[in-house]
Amino acid sequence: MAITAKIDVEEKDILESLRGFFRDILNVEEIKAVLVPQHLPMKNMVMPTLVTDLNQLDGVDPLAPAFPMNAAKIVSRLTRKPMGGKIAAALRPCEIRAFFELVKLKQGSTDELVLIGIDCLGAYQNNDYSRFVEQNGDQSTIKFYQNILSGKNGEIDGLNLAPACKACEYPVASNADILIGLYGIEVDSQILIQSQTNVGEDLLAQLNLSEINEPGIRQDTVADVIEKRVAYRDEMFGSTREVTDSLEKMTAYLASCVNCYNCRVACPVCYCKECVFVTDVFNHDPSRYLRWANRKGIIKMPTDTVFYHITRLAHMSTACVGCGQCSNACPNDIPVMELFRTVSQRTQEAFEYEAGRSLEEDPPLSVFREEEFPEVVGIN
Amino acid sequence: MEEFEPTIVAFVCNWCTYTAADLAGTSRLTYPKNVRLIRVMCTGMVDPQYVIKAFLEGADGVLISGCHPGDCHYINGNFKARRRIKLLKEILPQFGFDQERLRLTWIGASDGIQFAEIMQELVTQIKALGPSQAKLKMVI
């Protein structure tokens, strides 16, 4: 039986209640550490922290609109070999989905892991968050979650949610072991805690939480959020297709790309230790550039920009979870998330695959069936 | 005006389609010179980036051709190739490359006649599509 319970919120302070919840979890004997987003003591920036000491959870803040990196990469780093104990990781839904992709690609394991998924309220771009947080981390977070949970769009002081978050149709981590629910909950007095797997249930059973029924309004509230996000997403797909549907438009779209490959570094599912684009394969002989230039009289330097982006799409688009870290990392503000998500939507649909949905579904390019896709074979 | 002569890059597997091309040659069959054969050991080793590179360099068509299902020298390389072609046929059209420019066929080692016929038909079809967008425009 799944457990649906609550934790109480005192003096409307959700953050303090969440900190208490994570302390309770760390107190459970089998849990050796928790991985949680936390304000760093030296600066207000929120980063994933691995905590083993109950007294080091005072800065925990999973609701801050800060998303400096996709922590799936961190969890993969922590679980690629046995760690010597179980950890609980508090992640955004897109981080869990990216981690699922990594597990399927043999880059991590769920064996010694409890995934805690928090209803995602979205985040600002990195630069915007630094401006937003200023001196007081907690106060800024409270201002943010009150805005979102009252049904507004997160626009505060001229700052807006990152486009990836506006277009995200997964605000709820439906594949986490334990769910922390905020949408459709009276968060002034309580937060919803739900187990979604046996692992989650085992852990919650040790916490002695008071059980409740899920408020009926929650499903409707979540459905509302998703509906708005899907509308934004579909509009984004349409407008992105319009400006990239030929090679000429694509080259204009990517014209300010300097081949820094930051989008690949920031991508949680681009897991190759050495990308072919940084190997000697692309360290061309100098005379070759001259030959290329001679063909049309001009080449743009550095070369292989469109080649890189389309090849990367061939490699990762079936695993793209739409977290938007690529756009966060682009030094020249190219809307790469919009492009990658638009392409991914179609490739994932073609294989009836949804990145991060389930650990049971094989990545499309890792399997085949003998009878399939007859339409791609033949010349008639 | 001069008739448009397309450039078609064909990745053919060593065991079936290349052998068929060889048979076509030794049987003195002719096929259009637009097709540039690249022999690979198996269609399963054709990385999507080879296809993408060919298109960006101005190929008007790309053909991947290997053994019939069940005949792959490496058991299942052609099945893997089929998935990759499916993937590319979803990606490339989004950037304006007609999906008909990318083709996958199975041509067995003894199909010399079919090889010549299919090359002829392919060239006719690609001619009808006209030159690829990458041929004249600057690609970054």
Side-chain angles (χ1 to χ4, degrees):
Chain A
M1 252 315 273
I3 297 175
T4 300
K6 61 163 183 167
I7 46 176
D8 292 318
V9 174
E10 270 155 39
E11 290 170 23
K12 298 186 179 181
D13 194 345
I14 307 185
L15 288 178
E16 202 40 57
S17 307
L18 288 173
R19 284 164 194 158
F21 180 65
F22 288 116
R23 283 186 202 109
D24 289 348
I25 286 182
L26 188 53
N27 239 339
V28 172
E29 205 192 330
E30 57 168 352
I31 301 294
K32 302 299 176 212
V34 290
L35 180 75
V36 278
Q38 174 152 211
H39 289 283
L40 297 180
M42 57 295 265
K43 205 181 174 211
N44 263 326
M45 195 59 203
V46 176
M47 283 287 171
T49 56
L50 185 68
V51 184
T52 55
D53 180 347
L54 281 174
N55 298 317
Q56 296 291 340
L57 288 165
D58 297 344
V60 168
D61 187 351
L63 305 182
F67 190 26
M69 67 180 306
N70 189 310
K73 298 174 93 160
I74 302 294
V75 185
S76 144
R77 191 173 285 201
L78 291 172
T79 62
R80 69 188 175 87
K81 285 181 183 169
M83 195 187 195
K86 211 167 197 172
I87 61 166
L91 301 172
R92 293 178 187 272
C94 60
E95 295 177 315
I96 295 178
R97 293 191 302 122
F99 180 65
F100 271 27
E101 287 302 306
L102 290 173
V103 170
K104 289 192 270 189
L105 295 162
K106 315 271 185 278
Q107 304 298 308
S109 153
T110 53
D111 290 350
E112 295 180 304
L113 186 65
V114 183
L115 288 166
I116 302 174
I118 303 163
D119 275 8
C120 186
L121 309 181
Y124 297 135
Q125 301 267 38
N126 282 349
N127 294 342
D128 288 348
Y129 181 70
S130 303
R131 243 184 304 155
F132 178 69
V133 65
E134 284 173 10
Q135 299 308 316
N136 195 326
D138 278 13
Q139 286 311 316
S140 66
T141 299
I142 291 169
K143 199 156 81 173
F144 174 73
Y145 73 66
Q146 283 175 346
N147 178 301
I148 294 281
L149 291 174
S150 63
K152 295 190 189 132
N153 63 4
E155 190 181 338
I156 300 171
D157 302 337
L159 300 176
N160 258 305
L161 287 188
C165 300
K166 287 187 198 166
C168 172
E169 65 279 60
Y170 302 97
V172 174
S174 52
N175 48 13
D177 296 310
I178 294 173
L179 177 85
I180 299 182
L182 303 167
Y183 287 112
I185 308 292
E186 291 290 336
V187 289
D188 283 349
S189 60
Q190 61 186 39
I191 296 170
L192 181 77
I193 306 288
Q194 217 164 30
S195 70
Q196 304 188 115
T197 64
N198 292 338
V199 173
E201 196 182 320
D202 289 349
L203 182 56
L204 285 191
Q206 299 177 58
L207 298 185
N208 297 319
L209 301 170
S210 44
E211 299 207 19
I212 55 164
N213 290 322
E214 185 181 306
I217 194 175
R218 174 166 163 82
Q219 295 302 327
D220 296 340
T221 311
V222 171
D224 270 359
V225 173
I226 294 174
E227 197 186 312
K228 278 183 205 147
R229 304 263 184 95
V230 168
Y232 180 92
R233 180 200 71 180
D234 291 345
E235 204 183 308
M236 174 184 96
F237 287 160
S239 56
T240 306
R241 285 202 182 101
E242 214 160 274
V243 292
T244 56
D245 64 4
S246 72
L247 192 56
E248 201 173 2
K249 290 183 189 171
M250 257 293 270
T251 52
Y253 197 87
L254 298 170
S256 50
C257 177
V258 291
N259 293 31
C260 69
Y261 306 136
N262 280 3
C263 47
R264 187 206 68 221
V265 175
C267 179
V269 297
C270 247
Y271 69 97
C272 292
K273 293 277 178 287
E274 188 177 41
C275 176
V276 64
F277 282 90
V278 298
T279 63
D280 271 355
V281 174
F282 286 87
N283 196 7
H284 308 298
D285 196 77
S287 65
R288 233 167 137 186
Y289 292 104
L290 204 56
R291 255 189 295 141
W292 281 333
N294 263 326
R295 257 191 330 198
K296 287 175 189 170
I298 178 172
I299 50 168
K300 172 245 169 197
M301 300 291 285
T303 56
D304 302 312
T305 304
V306 172
F307 186 29
Y308 157 70
H309 285 288
I310 300 184
T311 303
R312 202 174 84 84
L313 281 166
H315 286 173
M316 57 50 83
S317 73
T318 54
C320 174
V321 296
C323 67
Q325 286 300 341
C326 43
S327 278
N328 233 346
C330 182
N332 291 333
D333 294 329
I334 302 170
V336 278
M337 177 282 295
E338 286 82 341
L339 172 67
F340 301 157
R341 266 216 76 181
T342 303
V343 174
S344 301
Q345 174 80 1
R346 184 160 157 189
T347 55
Q348 293 183 19
E349 232 171 61
F351 292 102
E352 291 167 11
Y353 185 78
E354 222 173 82
R357 178 167 55 188
S358 150
L359 284 172
E360 310 302 318
E361 296 170 327
D362 293 314
L365 273 290
S366 71
V367 286
F368 60 84
R369 273 180 249 128
E370 292 194 5
E371 305 281 338
E372 61 179 2
F373 309 124
E375 74 280 4
V376 306
V377 182
I379 65 157
N380 293 311
Chain B
M1 210 182 102
E2 239 176 86
E3 198 189 352
F4 160 57
E5 290 296 342
T7 307
I8 297 170
V9 178
F11 296 96
V12 294
C13 98
N14 178 61
W15 306 97
C16 289
T17 307
Y18 188 83
T19 310
D22 213 18
L23 178 60
T26 50
S27 314
R28 296 187 178 272
L29 298 169
T30 57
Y31 66 93
K33 61 182 190 300
N34 307 68
V35 183
R36 321 287 210 266
L37 296 187
I38 298 176
R39 174 159 65 159
V40 293
M41 288 312 283
C42 179
T43 50
M45 66 153 287
V46 179
D47 191 302
Q49 62 170 307
Y50 302 168
V51 178
I52 296 165
K53 178 75 172 170
F55 277 122
L56 291 178
E57 292 289 319
D60 300 294
V62 174
L63 171 75
I64 287 98
S65 184
C67 309
H68 285 278
D71 289 352
C72 178
H73 190 79
Y74 306 100
I75 301 166
N76 53 30
N78 48 2
F79 292 133
K80 293 171 183 162
R82 185 169 57 193
R83 282 220 161 198
R84 293 189 191 122
I85 299 307
K86 171 71 180 165
L87 177 74
L88 285 168
K89 274 177 176 283
E90 298 297 331
I91 294 176
L92 290 168
Q94 303 201 45
F95 307 124
F97 291 97
D98 195 317
Q99 62 111 5
E100 306 246 297
R101 292 185 188 275
L102 174 60
R103 296 306 182 83
L104 172 68
T105 59
W106 315 133
I107 302 175
S110 56
D111 301 339
I113 298 171
Q114 285 91 327
F115 176 83
E117 284 171 1
I118 287 173
M119 294 308 131
Q120 181 62 57
E121 172 62 22
L122 183 66
V123 171
T124 311
Q125 287 184 18
I126 301 288
K127 265 188 188 169
L129 287 173
S132 155
Q133 51 175 347
K135 210 151 204 177
L136 303 167
K137 292 272 174 358
M138 178 175 174
V139 178
I140 64 168

